[in-house]
Amino acid sequence: MDTYPFQISGPALYLIMFIKDILKAEADNSEVCVSGWVRTKRDMKNLVFIEVNDGSCFAGIQCTFDKGPGLDAATETGLSRLTAGASVTVRGRIVPSPASGQRLEVAATELALVGEADAETYPLQKKRHSLEFLREIAHLRARTNTFGAVARVRGRMAFAVNRFFEERGFFLVHTPIITANDAEGAGAMFQVTTLDLAALAGSSSPPDWSRDFFARHCYLTVSGQLEAETYAMALSRVYTFGPTFRAENSNTARHLAEFWMIEPEIAFAELPDLMTLAEDFLKYIFADTLEKSADDLNFFDLRVQKGLVENLQALIKSKFTHITYTDAVNELQKSKEDFDFKPVWGSDLQTEHEKYLTEKVAGGPVIVTDYPKDIKAFYMKLNDDDKTVRAMDVLVPRLGEIIGGSQREDNLQKLEKRMTELGMNSKDYSWYLDLRRYGAVPHSGFGLGFERLVQYVTGMANIRDVIPYPRAAGQADF
Ligand code: 4AD
Ligand code: MG
């Protein structure tokens, strides 16, 4: 059993254990200290019950105080003053609990009221608050059941992401956050500048970027892919996992302005290899989370998304459906569904189309490949038909697109031609083109929005509720 002794001031409280470890222990009367935040307090005639939660696991622990003459003065005062939200350290013994629904509790003897919480103003009084209200108190929402569970699951999932790649010989590469190039060509980038905006406002001529901090026009990155590619051309298998930024003003439950992206890039690999990697990756993360975050997932299953656990279990055993974009559009056109957007070859699939394909056609995840080149980024490998590219999107039920990736164009002439067609200045990308000049190899990679993955695993409907401090258009208060 792990123990976490450290010094605290106040009474002679010497051994603090995480609640997750206490709950696994024997109710053998051994001595223990618990530190955490009070969720509830019930003051009876002879007993005081407090429920303490330290965030180490979903459950809290009940600490029961016998109001007899044995209590010291500090404990007595502490008990009378503590309210929901206060922080405490409790000392006692682990005993079997007579109450239903809990195997053990702490028969408490001493209490240190570490920090009080004014009952008049503490915002988390009620048992249940709306998610919208909790978004307004993002600094306190991790103390609720839902957001505590989201935070634990998210943290563990990030760890599993790194473990998955580490076990397969990938190296983590930290790609830059400030960049001069637009990886996706979607044009929705935040600018980074130290120029005096007030002084520029009156001027009719465009800013002289050569006078700016980086001596050129810079942005926050939309993707670490292009830089990851350079390292894949040296280390064979790499991934980046970092923040990315998009200034699109889309106010949806699946878009953030700041989100974390996982981007593996593999050398000597073609599209089918990438499809296998994506499927293995998702299944690994789902299986790991089911194992390591069982209590939190059970909560989401019960309160947020019915059938979630069973769904994830089935998905791990399933085989993802593969379909080309062209076949997918045919499938959508054949359907009797009343779509808001008519499916036509050449247009992007809408979320409603993606949901139809996963939920109605495949009954599970779908990998759509070979999209028209005109709706995809410049770097994707052109197919022999000259119309489609070796792209793949992984779509999942409930959410739609969770992964976007492709085999990369490794032919210098074809890539230069495509860049010219799109009006891109190939001088700006000469470093990227060097990868095609010197020791080019077929290579492939994908990007997975980490928040969409957390959304999928927790069942949380809004992406703003799976990142601690969401940034979206008009929202960066915390
Ligand atoms: O499909 P996208 O735009 O692909 C790329 O950026 C490639 N450079 C990735 C690569 O091949 N290395 O974005 C990849 C994923 C999407 O599938 C989605 O999961 C997520 O990133 N994503 C967002 N997540 C939250 N908010 C947004 N605004 C997002 N935009 C994309
Ligand atoms: Mg995409």
Side-chain angles (χ1 to χ4, degrees):
M1 192 192 317
D2 297 338
T3 50
Y4 305 89
F6 61 87
Q7 296 291 311
I8 63 158
S9 57
L13 301 172
Y14 58 87
L15 186 66
I16 293 173
M17 261 175 84
F18 277 149
I19 291 170
K20 74 178 166 77
D21 296 321
I22 298 177
L23 292 174
K24 283 186 246 154
E26 295 301 319
D28 60 359
N29 222 33
S30 55
E31 206 164 17
V32 72
C33 280
V34 178
S35 289
W37 293 266
V38 175
R39 286 284 175 88
T40 57
K41 168 176 143 184
R42 277 183 304 139
D43 203 338
M44 318 294 276
K45 191 153 165 269
N46 299 317
L47 298 169
V48 183
F49 300 102
I50 62 173
E51 166 94 7
V52 179
N53 188 293
D54 67 0
S56 64
C57 61
F58 186 83
I61 194 153
Q62 177 169 291
C63 302
T64 307
F65 292 83
D66 203 327
K67 278 192 196 164
L71 292 185
D72 61 61
T75 302
E76 228 168 73
T77 323
L79 278 177
S80 68
R81 296 182 67 104
L82 74 78
T83 51
S87 52
V88 293
T89 293
V90 175
R91 177 172 171 173
R93 295 183 179 280
I94 309 177
V95 297
S97 179
S100 72
Q102 52 193 27
R103 193 171 59 85
L104 43 79
E105 64 180 48
V106 174
T109 49
E110 280 176 55
L111 173 115
L113 178 53
V114 181
E116 292 185 48
D118 184 351
E120 291 290 313
T121 55
Y122 184 58
L124 294 172
Q125 296 290 342
K126 276 197 311 188
K127 263 254 172 247
R128 290 191 86 170
H129 293 279
S130 75
L131 297 174
E132 288 76 15
F133 169 75
L134 292 173
R135 242 171 258 152
E136 289 168 21
I137 50 164
H139 60 301
L140 291 173
R141 66 180 179 167
R143 294 190 188 185
T144 64
N145 280 339
T146 305
F147 287 93
V150 168
R152 276 186 301 275
V153 169
R154 184 182 165 114
R156 288 213 176 98
M157 282 172 69
F159 203 76
V161 167
N162 289 310
R163 191 169 356 90
F164 173 87
F165 289 120
E166 164 70 19
E167 286 171 359
R168 284 159 186 77
F170 287 70
F171 293 99
L172 174 61
V173 174
H174 292 123
T175 50
I177 288 168
I178 298 173
T179 178
N181 47 69
D182 180 356
E184 289 303 297
M189 301 181 85
F190 290 102
Q191 306 182 48
V192 176
T193 180
T194 53
L195 291 179
D196 182 347
L197 296 182
L200 287 175
S203 159
S204 55
S205 50
D208 179 2
W209 297 112
S210 69
R211 286 179 36 246
D212 202 353
F213 189 89
F214 297 105
R216 59 184 303 168
H217 201 174
C218 280
Y219 310 88
L220 293 178
T221 188
V222 294
S223 157
Q225 176 198 324
L226 304 192
E227 293 88 351
E229 277 186 59
T230 67
Y231 270 72
M233 297 297 101
L235 305 184
S236 292
R237 292 181 190 185
V238 301
Y239 70 106
T240 83
F241 183 4
T244 50
F245 307 86
R246 301 206 177 170
E248 37 195 301
N249 201 347
S250 45
N251 197 2
T252 79
R254 313 184 312 145
H255 289 89
L256 287 166
E258 176 182 288
F259 63 100
W260 287 65
M261 199 170 1
I262 298 151
E263 297 182 274
E265 194 69 36
I266 37 178
F268 307 100
E270 304 194 347
L271 190 62
D273 305 308
L274 191 68
M275 293 161 77
T276 307
L277 180 72
E279 183 166 338
D280 286 351
F281 175 80
L282 289 175
K283 288 178 176 174
Y284 180 96
I285 301 294
F286 297 155
D288 193 78
T289 312
L290 281 168
E291 185 198 325
K292 306 239 165 60
S293 299
D295 288 352
D296 289 324
L297 287 197
N298 284 337
F299 165 78
F300 291 120
D301 193 309
L302 202 67
R303 288 294 176 79
V304 176
Q305 174 81 41
K306 290 260 174 306
L308 180 80
V309 167
E310 209 180 306
N311 231 280
L312 290 171
Q313 283 163 343
L315 203 147
I316 292 166
K317 293 198 202 93
S318 76
K319 184 94 197 76
F320 290 13
T321 301
H322 296 177
I323 188 170
T324 64
Y325 168 89
T326 303
D327 287 347
V329 170
N330 283 338
E331 200 69 56
L332 292 166
Q333 286 172 339
K334 265 195 337 219
S335 93
K336 308 243 166 347
E337 200 86 358
D338 186 21
F339 294 119
D340 290 339
F341 291 87
K342 236 172 80 96
V344 282
W345 199 97
S347 304
D348 231 337
L349 296 181
Q350 301 292 321
T351 305
E352 57 176 344
H353 304 146
E354 295 176 341
K355 284 183 140 188
Y356 179 83
L357 291 170
T358 52
E359 289 165 17
K360 304 274 169 62
V361 179
V366 178
I367 309 187
V368 182
T369 59
D370 304 286
Y371 283 76
K373 66 175 179 187
D374 291 329
I375 57 170
K376 289 292 182 188
F378 74 97
Y379 51 71
M380 297 193 180
K381 186 164 184 66
L382 193 60
N383 279 318
D384 292 339
D385 63 10
D386 229 14
K387 283 200 286 248
T388 58
V389 285
R390 307 239 76 195
M392 68 157 203
D393 275 10
V394 181
L395 318 178
V396 289
R398 287 192 268 122
L399 268 187
E401 178 190 341
I402 193 163
I403 288 181
S406 75
Q407 185 169 339
R408 316 307 189 188
E409 183 57 82
D410 51 8
N411 178 293
L412 180 63
Q413 287 72 37
K414 285 190 183 166
L415 186 54
E416 280 180 325
K417 181 164 171 270
R418 186 68 188 135
M419 290 173 78
T420 310
E421 276 169 18
L422 292 169
M424 295 168 69
N425 186 351
S426 56
K427 275 207 196 73
D428 291 342
Y429 293 85
S430 70
W431 59 274
Y432 187 69
L433 295 169
D434 271 354
L435 302 175
R436 281 77 184 162
R437 287 189 187 102
Y438 311 121
V441 295
H443 63 288
S444 305
F446 66 71
L448 167 78
F450 187 49
E451 285 72 22
R452 294 217 184 147
L453 187 64
V454 181
Q455 256 191 300
Y456 192 68
V457 168
T458 58
M460 295 295 287
N462 195 315
I463 198 165
R464 293 167 202 218
D465 295 331
V466 296
I467 186 165
Y469 295 97
R471 271 86 179 90
Q475 187 184 19
D477 298 339
F478 284 92

